[in-house]
Amino acid sequence: MKLQYSFVIPVYNRPDEIKELLESFVNLDFDQTFEIVIVEDGSSITSEKVVESFSDKLNIIYYYKSNSGPGDSRNFGMRKATGNYYIILDSDCILPPSYLKRVDESLQKEYVDCYGGPDNAHSSFSLIQQAINFSMTSVLTTGGIRGNKHSVDKFQPRSFNMGLSKKAFLATNGFGRIHPGEDPDLSIRLWKTGFKTKLISNAFVYHKRRISWSKFFNQVYKFGKVRPILNLWHPETKKITYWFPFLFVSGFLVATLSFIFLNWLLPLFFYGIYFTLIFISALIKSKNLSLAGYSIIATSIQFYGYGLGFIKSIYAIRVLGKAPEDCFPELFFNQHV
């Protein structure tokens, strides 16, 4: 089957990001035609003029719709796309020139109906962005689940860098209403339907992620709230590792109180070892002392935010027995009609 690629990119109030992403499309090293579908998700600051400025350089089409969340906007874009294989990106990504060539080579060699690729930090990103990238991708923090093929037995593609065949989209109806969490939910439903997923480890994107500590906290806090909901919907995916951020933060609190009231230093010593490893690992990777220090901050925020959201969601859903949409309506979007 000849693969015809359609890129689907939802955007919300981020014309500057779309400009950088489209500039990277111009520099792609790929000799076949491909399509770009931009879906403006009810933005008040639109990207229409930016998209128009690239119309003579790229095969690009622009749609504006009412706000219904990124998952539903991706579904909208896939329904409008003309290709038979969709590549979904976040608007805050930049593509290296070899991206599409690596995707195509991998799919031609070993076809799957859904793939995911890792993300990386570009040298132009701020120190905070690079530190957040380290925290979200390091084996020491997330176990490498966002792009280390040696760390996972079954890869769950993430929608910042994800491919999905038209066949798989039609069979599953694409993304659900929840956000975040719509991408692992889709991966699990794909597996249940009989489709396979894989990681294309060299098809990475430069992913800016959040640009401040507060925005990063809000992001991981939502991630934490979503996980118990996904476990409720797909109980076969439950893992003890999802409790680790909460246990880590709780343990640190106990260790601190033990030192203050009982003068027990050993528990805090183990936490010191862990953060030292974070610092050394980030320093070796970046060769930047400031970034290594920021990586400790990013890791702390990630664990605290995720752990807080996770235990709050566990209490509401498991202990109080409330429905997820009643507890956390902010995580659910109404679908576009």
Side-chain angles (χ1 to χ4, degrees):
M1 178 181 68
K2 181 175 175 57
L3 297 179
Q4 299 172 312
Y5 297 106
S6 290
F7 287 86
V8 177
I9 306 160
V11 59
Y12 181 72
N13 288 335
R14 294 183 177 184
D16 291 340
E17 289 181 353
I18 281 295
K19 184 175 186 294
E20 287 185 297
L21 175 54
L22 294 179
E23 286 172 347
S24 70
F25 270 109
V26 173
N27 296 318
L28 278 183
D29 179 18
F30 194 67
D31 56 7
Q32 300 176 38
T33 59
F34 58 88
E35 173 187 49
I36 304 172
V37 180
I38 304 292
V39 182
E40 192 87 59
D41 187 26
S43 301
S44 58
I45 307 172
T46 73
S47 304
E48 185 173 11
K49 289 185 178 180
V50 173
V51 173
E52 286 178 357
S53 69
F54 285 87
S55 60
D56 60 337
K57 304 173 186 176
L58 298 167
N59 178 22
I60 190 168
I61 187 167
Y62 172 89
Y63 293 98
Y64 184 95
K65 52 176 276 300
S66 58
N67 180 253
S68 60
D72 189 58
S73 295
R74 297 180 192 114
N75 293 343
F76 178 93
M78 287 186 279
R79 287 193 292 267
K80 297 292 186 181
T82 60
N84 59 15
Y85 207 101
Y86 312 127
I87 299 178
I88 301 156
L89 302 172
D90 279 356
S91 62
D92 59 349
C93 291
I94 298 173
L95 300 179
S98 59
Y99 175 82
L100 190 49
K101 179 182 288 187
R102 291 172 176 174
V103 168
D104 187 64
E105 288 175 349
S106 179
L107 292 178
Q108 296 297 341
K109 183 178 180 180
E110 181 191 5
Y111 179 83
V112 292
D113 285 281
C114 179
Y115 79 85
D119 58 347
N120 207 337
H122 194 272
S123 58
S124 65
F125 291 0
S126 70
L127 289 179
I128 290 178
Q129 288 172 322
Q130 293 183 58
I132 289 173
N133 180 270
F134 173 85
S135 178
M136 293 290 284
T137 59
S138 173
V139 174
L140 290 172
T141 54
T142 62
I145 64 171
R146 302 179 72 91
N148 187 327
K149 64 183 178 180
H150 302 297
S151 301
V152 290
D153 54 357
K154 208 170 186 181
F155 186 68
Q156 292 184 2
R158 304 293 177 174
S159 52
F160 62 80
N161 179 12
M162 178 181 187
L164 183 70
S165 72
K166 183 176 182 179
K167 178 182 178 182
F169 169 65
L170 294 175
T172 59
N173 294 317
F175 295 94
R177 293 177 51 228
I178 195 169
H179 174 74
E182 71 274 21
D183 30 14
D185 172 61
L186 176 56
S187 294
I188 297 165
R189 289 189 286 110
L190 284 166
W191 297 336
K192 290 179 177 179
T193 313
F195 292 102
K196 293 182 178 180
T197 63
K198 75 172 181 179
L199 168 69
I200 303 180
S201 58
N202 62 352
F204 66 89
V205 299
Y206 297 114
H207 192 192
K208 286 188 173 182
R209 300 188 182 277
R210 301 302 177 183
I211 60 173
S212 70
W213 295 128
S214 61
K215 290 181 178 179
F216 180 51
F217 171 83
N218 289 333
Q219 183 185 48
V220 293
Y221 178 62
K222 288 182 178 180
F223 287 161
K225 289 193 291 186
V226 161
R227 178 49 61 184
I229 298 174
L230 295 178
N231 291 345
L232 179 68
W233 292 349
H234 310 288
E236 71 279 7
T237 64
K238 290 181 182 178
K239 293 181 181 179
I240 189 64
T241 52
Y242 296 141
W243 284 85
F244 281 3
F246 170 72
L247 296 175
F248 183 92
V249 174
S250 300
F252 183 77
L253 177 61
V254 172
T256 302
L257 293 175
S258 298
F259 174 71
I260 294 173
F261 294 105
L262 301 175
N263 202 29
W264 289 355
L265 183 60
L266 186 60
L268 278 180
F269 176 74
F270 288 117
Y271 278 92
I273 291 176
Y274 175 76
F275 284 119
T276 300
L277 291 174
I278 291 290
F279 182 88
I280 293 173
S281 177
L283 181 61
I284 291 173
K285 184 177 180 179
S286 67
K287 298 177 176 59
N288 186 307
L289 281 170
S290 297
L291 194 151
Y294 279 4
S295 295
I296 294 177
I297 299 174
T299 299
S300 301
I301 292 174
Q302 179 180 326
F303 284 176
Y304 175 67
Y306 186 100
L308 183 63
F310 182 84
I311 200 63
K312 181 177 181 179
S313 185
I314 285 287
Y315 179 76
I317 295 171
R318 294 295 183 183
V319 179
L320 299 182
K322 293 183 178 180
E325 292 190 41
D326 294 335
C327 302
F328 310 111
E330 70 277 9
L331 300 178
F332 295 87
F333 282 88
N334 293 321
Q335 292 184 324
H336 179 78
V337 179

